[in-house]
């Protein structure tokens, strides 16, 4: 049974959480009698593709389209190539795309589904923790430009999400921790109980104990679902989900998506956002130190060297900004946050300066 049913402008879609789900996808009525196209990478297909394909009847075997892994390939040229492949294969508007992989695969597949023949259905099959708790839910799709992350995209929800927790066993420790930083974000901005659970159960979570992990994933998905249902198109409350992302995305862009995983960039961004929250008198130093300690407890974080002004300039291209104001999501307590505008540039620069100093240590 679905863990959640999420309301969107295009209808209600289920988010199902459980083990061995990929081995059952072809048996679900939602995919029956449809031309299915699996979009994935060679590595992910090697791990999960055979199980997925075996679940389909022999007469309905999906076509597999492979893309390179990583943020550098999350570009329009990749989407255009996939669209051409779909056209050459005779895919029509009744086609069903299956996004098998992490957040990059999910974002690109969702964007492709939004624009191919003016819209086709897709299902999210997230195989990373970060994708299961964040990227696969909410209908945000997109690709990157050289000038910044996700600057091209659309809001196009999937018709279903199947989060197979069995797939998480194949993640490296680094990939796994990167996903946990998004769970910490959910605790900081909305769920103090999740935050406390992450504090008290660090060992079990890092050991990937099934019950502990299921509780973290479920709570994180509920946080995101509760927010996106009220603000699907990111006009207000949904911006809270970008806590840590303004500077995090700036770091990714400045590093050309080569040094940090997305979750690691968000972790660094959250450390900066906590400091900025204190500097602007929105958060107590006690709460900031507590949140900071939790982030670092799920590290280590990769180090890097960047120029302050390069990072600052990248923050000005953030999607949350308007023509007149730069917006940041700041914490106000453990479990609460808000969007703040018109922060003095000197305080933003000071925050980035402190971050870059720590990142070089």
């Amino acid at each position: 049974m679905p863990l959640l049913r999420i309301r969107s402008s295009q209808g209600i879609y289920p988010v199902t959480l459980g083990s061995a789900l990929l081995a059952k996808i072809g048996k679900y009525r939602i995919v029956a009698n449809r031309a299915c196209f699996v979009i994935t990478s060679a590595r992910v297909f090697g791990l999960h593709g055979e199980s997925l394909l075996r679940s389909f009847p022999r007469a309905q075997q999906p076509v597999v389209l492979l893309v390179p892994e990583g943020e550098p390939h999350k570009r329009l040229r990749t989407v255009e190539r996939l669209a051409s492949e779909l056209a050459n294969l005779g895919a029509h508007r009744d086609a069903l795309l299956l996004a098998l992989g992490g957040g990059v695969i999910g974002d690109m597949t969702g964007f492709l589904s939004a624009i191919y023949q003016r819209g086709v259905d897709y299902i999210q099959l997230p195989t990373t923790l970060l994708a299961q708790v964040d990227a696969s839910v909410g209908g945000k799709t997109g690709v990157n430009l050289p000038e910044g992350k996700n600057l091209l995209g659309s809001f196009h929800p999937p018709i279903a999400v199947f989060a197979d927790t069995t797939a998480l066993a194949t993640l490296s420790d680094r990939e796994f921790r990167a996903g946990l930083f998004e769970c910490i974000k959910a605790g900081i901005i909305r769920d103090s109980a999740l935050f406390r659970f992450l504090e008290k159960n660090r060992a079990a979570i890092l050991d990937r104990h099934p019950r502990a992990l299921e509780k973290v994933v479920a709570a994180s998905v509920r946080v995101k679902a509760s927010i996106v249902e009220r603000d699907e198109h990111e006009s207000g409350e949904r911006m809270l989900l970008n806590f840590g992302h303004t500077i995090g995305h700036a770091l990714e862009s400045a590093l050309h998506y080569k040094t940090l995983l997305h979750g690691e960039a968000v972790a660094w961004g959250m450390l900066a956002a906590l400091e900025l929250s204190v500097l602007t008198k929105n958060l107590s130093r006690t709460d900031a130190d507590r949140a900071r300690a939790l982030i670092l407890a799920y590290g280590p974080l990769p180090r890097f060297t960047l120029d302050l002004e390069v990072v600052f300039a990248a923050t000005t291209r953030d999607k949350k900004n308007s023509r007149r104001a730069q917006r940041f999501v700041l914490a106000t307590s453990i479990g609460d946050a808000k969007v703040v505008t018109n922060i003095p540039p000197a305080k933003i620069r000071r925050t980035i300066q402190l971050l870059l100093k720590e990142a070089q240590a």
Side-chain angles (χ1 to χ4, degrees), residues 71-72 146 251-259:
E71 288 283 348
L251 296 175
E252 286 184 281
S253 177
L255 291 165
H256 307 290
Y257 307 103
K258 293 180 179 179
T259 304

Side-chain angles (χ1 to χ4, degrees), residues 43 127-133 164-184 198 201-217 261-264 267 297-301:
R43 184 181 67 86
T127 59
T128 67
L129 178 57
L130 190 147
Q132 290 187 6
V133 302
D164 188 343
T165 54
T166 308
L168 302 181
T170 65
L171 299 179
S172 68
D173 287 343
R174 184 183 178 191
E175 288 177 306
F176 182 68
R177 290 194 306 269
L180 287 172
F181 293 127
E182 286 282 359
C183 301
I184 293 171
L198 287 160
N201 296 275
R202 175 180 173 276
I205 293 167
L206 288 176
D207 286 342
R208 310 189 199 193
H209 189 281
R211 288 192 178 182
L213 191 54
E214 183 174 321
K215 183 165 184 176
V216 169
V217 172
L261 299 177
H262 175 65
E264 294 168 340
Y298 282 90
L301 292 174

Side-chain angles (χ1 to χ4, degrees), residues 7-12 121 155-157 232:
R7 294 185 301 273
S8 76
S9 59
Q10 297 184 34
I12 297 174
D121 290 339
F155 291 93
H156 186 62
E232 182 179 6

Side-chain angles (χ1 to χ4, degrees), residues 37-244:
F37 300 84
V38 178
I39 298 177
T40 187
S41 69
R43 184 181 67 86
V44 173
F45 185 76
L47 291 169
H48 309 294
E50 185 178 345
S51 176
L52 174 63
L53 295 186
R54 276 205 311 262
S55 72
F56 284 82
R58 183 172 299 178
Q60 196 205 347
Q61 282 293 292
V63 176
V64 178
L65 305 179
L66 297 178
V67 296
E69 285 194 324
E71 288 283 348
H73 302 286
K74 187 179 163 184
R75 300 291 295 275
L76 269 179
R77 60 178 175 268
T78 308
V79 172
E80 183 178 4
R81 177 175 67 78
L82 288 169
S84 292
E85 291 183 19
L86 289 175
N88 289 326
L89 289 165
H92 300 292
R93 293 195 69 184
D94 59 352
L96 177 63
L97 309 185
L98 306 177
L100 177 66
V104 170
I105 295 290
D107 282 357
M108 284 198 299
T109 303
F111 187 48
L112 173 63
S113 73
I115 61 176
Y116 183 73
Q117 296 203 4
R118 297 189 177 90
V120 298
D121 290 339
Y122 76 109
I123 290 175
Q124 290 275 17
L125 304 177
T127 59
T128 67
L129 178 57
L130 190 147
Q132 290 187 6
V133 302
D134 184 64
S136 67
V137 178
K140 284 173 68 173
T141 74
V143 295
N144 302 330
L145 291 176
E147 292 76 17
K149 187 166 179 175
N150 295 327
L151 293 183
L152 294 178
S154 66
F155 291 93
H156 186 62
I159 62 171
V161 179
F162 293 93
D164 188 343
T165 54
T166 308
L168 302 181
T170 65
L171 299 179
S172 68
D173 287 343
R174 184 183 178 191
E175 288 177 306
F176 182 68
R177 290 194 306 269
L180 287 172
F181 293 127
E182 286 282 359
C183 301
I184 293 171
K185 178 201 75 177
I188 291 173
I189 66 168
R190 182 51 58 88
D191 191 341
S192 57
L194 170 59
F195 187 94
R196 290 192 298 272
F197 187 84
L198 287 160
E199 283 183 315
K200 295 177 181 178
N201 296 275
R202 175 180 173 276
I205 293 167
L206 288 176
D207 286 342
R208 310 189 199 193
H209 189 281
R211 288 192 178 182
L213 191 54
E214 183 174 321
K215 183 165 184 176
V216 169
V217 172
S220 301
V221 172
R222 287 192 184 99
V223 167
K224 182 156 190 181
S226 69
I227 291 175
V228 300
E229 282 194 328
R230 289 191 292 270
D231 181 20
E232 182 179 6
H233 295 124
E234 203 171 27
S235 58
E237 185 180 6
R238 186 167 180 168
M239 291 184 190
L240 297 179
L241 294 168
N242 285 304
F243 180 72

Side-chain angles (χ1 to χ4, degrees), residues 315-357:
T315 67
T316 66
R317 296 189 289 269
D318 188 81
K319 300 188 306 300
K320 294 185 298 302
N321 297 337
S322 67
R323 182 172 60 88
R324 297 178 179 176
Q326 191 170 0
R327 297 188 177 111
F328 274 83
V329 180
L330 302 181
T332 56
S333 65
I334 301 297
D336 198 16
K338 67 179 181 180
V339 179
V340 178
T341 59
N342 299 319
I343 298 174
K347 291 187 177 181
I348 300 173
R349 283 188 169 89
R350 174 59 176 163
T351 299
I352 296 172
Q353 182 182 46
L354 292 171
L355 174 69
L356 295 179
K357 182 178 180 180

